[in-house]
Amino acid sequence: MEGDIAQMGQFIGAGLAAIGSGAAAIGVGHVAGNFLAGALRNPSAAAGQTATLFIGIAFAEALGIFSFLVALLLMFAV
């Protein structure tokens, strides 16, 4: 009985950690949407902001990767 409760806690924790993957998708959407909004307002400055776009997307995706790793650690290592 105690092992089942511990395993249930691992799965609940992994599920909660996996919410970060959804948050990463929302973050990438916000970064890309704000870039497009700015590029449509000022097309001449869009070329200079492309590097910033990719850095923002990389940071948002890093959140998803970290949350995935935490979920895997909770499921299999704890």
Side-chain angles (χ1 to χ4, degrees):
M1 180 73 180
E2 291 179 15
D4 293 337
I5 293 174
Q7 189 175 16
M8 180 185 65
Q10 287 177 345
F11 289 145
I12 289 173
L16 290 175
I19 291 174
S21 298
I26 292 170
V28 169
H30 280 287
V31 168
N34 288 333
F35 171 77
L36 287 176
L40 290 175
R41 262 190 235 128
N42 189 2
S44 62
Q49 295 297 320
T50 306
T52 307
L53 168 72
F54 290 129
I55 290 171
I57 289 174
F59 282 139
E61 285 296 325
L63 171 69
I65 292 169
F66 292 148
S67 67
F68 178 69
L69 290 176
V70 168
L72 286 178
L73 285 172
L74 285 173
M75 285 180 60
F76 298 114
V78 175

